[in-house]
Amino acid sequence: AGVGKTGLALAVAHRVATVHPAGVAGILVSDVSTPDDVLAAIASVFGVGRAADLAGRLAGAPALLMVDAVERAPDAVAVALTWLAGAAPTLRVLATGRHPIGLPGERVWPVAPLEVPPADVQADLDAVADYPAAALFLARLRRVRREPLEPDEVGALIGLVRRLGGLPLALELAAA
């Protein structure tokens, strides 16, 4: 949790939108989602009234569906996506979750925390800011603090970013 799966998936979806002329859409799975709920949400984001209408809506052109938080109802998502694979073969799915769904053809890309400065890094702000975890923290910190870090604060920054393990969500919350 908090490693940045959703943010990464959103960035990918935006980047590849132009090669999906039938549309790019996304849904968020809840803990109580059923296969019918998942299919109804997908139908809705693609602008059709029923899941049965998805085949016609998505026929002939590639589309992309982002399914976020599949770990909340993995069985429901698996059933819905299995049905959808047969009904709309041009649809590509980008799913985020803590575990693979287990569908045929599924590719898994683990998302790791951001790189943190090593314990022995020089306490120089420019050197520390080269590490992605510190850069994210500093970028978010600039939104709430106008004055730049003082040289004597860099050591505390290194310690904090390391303790937060490079998790983007934790870094963003701490900076706020």
Side-chain angles (χ1 to χ4, degrees), residues 54-131:
L54 283 165
R57 163 66 176 81
L58 301 174
L64 178 67
L65 171 68
M66 182 182 142
V67 181
D68 193 24
V70 297
E71 73 276 359
R72 293 179 181 168
D75 294 337
V77 171
V79 169
L81 294 182
T82 298
W83 179 86
L84 201 53
T90 60
L91 179 67
R92 298 293 171 251
V93 177
L94 176 59
T96 69
R98 296 181 193 168
H99 309 286
I101 300 169
L103 297 176
E106 179 177 19
R107 294 183 190 171
V108 177
W109 285 285
V111 179
L114 299 174
E115 184 181 3
V116 300
D120 63 349
V121 71
Q122 182 182 8
D124 169 74
L125 188 56
D126 290 333
V128 172
D130 285 339
Y131 291 89

Side-chain angles (χ1 to χ4, degrees), residues 1-5 111-114 132-133 136-137 140 164-175:
V3 77
K5 298 177 295 293
V111 179
L114 299 174
L136 176 61
F137 181 87
R140 296 306 184 262
L164 295 174
L167 291 173
L169 179 61
L171 293 164
E172 291 180 349
L173 291 174

Side-chain angles (χ1 to χ4, degrees), residues 16-91:
V16 302
T18 58
V19 296
H20 293 90
V24 175
I27 65 165
L28 176 63
V29 177
S30 78
D31 294 333
V32 295
S33 293
T34 65
D36 287 340
D37 295 334
V38 173
L39 288 170
I42 295 167
S44 176
V45 297
F46 279 111
V48 295
R50 303 173 307 140
D53 298 330
L54 283 165
R57 163 66 176 81
L58 301 174
L64 178 67
L65 171 68
M66 182 182 142
V67 181
D68 193 24
V70 297
E71 73 276 359
R72 293 179 181 168
D75 294 337
V77 171
V79 169
L81 294 182
T82 298
W83 179 86
L84 201 53
T90 60
L91 179 67

Side-chain angles (χ1 to χ4, degrees), residues 138-149:
L138 289 167
R140 296 306 184 262
L141 184 63
R142 281 191 284 280
R143 292 180 178 175
V144 296
R145 178 180 164 171
R146 294 185 191 273
E147 55 281 341
L149 251 62

